[in-house]
Amino acid sequence: MSVNPQKNRTGLNRVWHAFGYSLSGLKAAWYEKAFRQEAVASVLLIPAAFFVSHTWLEAALLIGSVVLVLVVELLNTGIE
């Protein structure tokens, strides 16, 4: 007997259910004030990265740092 029903799913069925769980997690994170502030800021900062950078590497590093902040906030929300 499997404890986790996700383990028995395969193929697109597993991907579909995993996507649903991911959306549920993002929905839960949206109720965190810090995550909302960072998500709104990222909407402004990601396009700004293209304007202030001179090379694609600089743009990628700027965008990567914004995404890293969002990921760390999601991890923090998950731990809380």
Side-chain angles (χ1 to χ4, degrees):
M1 176 166 65
S2 179
V3 177
N4 186 352
Q6 183 73 356
K7 299 284 184 185
N8 294 330
R9 295 186 179 111
T10 59
L12 289 177
N13 188 25
R14 182 180 177 119
V15 171
W16 180 253
H17 281 87
F19 178 72
Y21 295 141
S22 297
L23 284 180
S24 296
L26 287 174
K27 228 182 276 186
W30 188 253
Y31 292 106
E32 290 285 329
K33 189 174 184 179
F35 180 76
R36 276 197 313 268
Q37 291 172 346
E38 292 164 358
V40 170
S42 71
V43 170
L44 300 172
L45 292 173
I46 290 175
F50 291 106
F51 289 111
V52 300
S53 62
H54 298 291
T55 66
W56 285 104
L57 179 60
E58 289 177 359
L61 290 172
L62 289 169
I63 293 169
S65 64
V66 171
V67 171
L68 182 63
V69 168
L70 290 172
V71 168
V72 169
E73 187 60 43
L74 286 172
L75 288 171
N76 184 35
T77 302
I79 291 170
E80 288 176 354

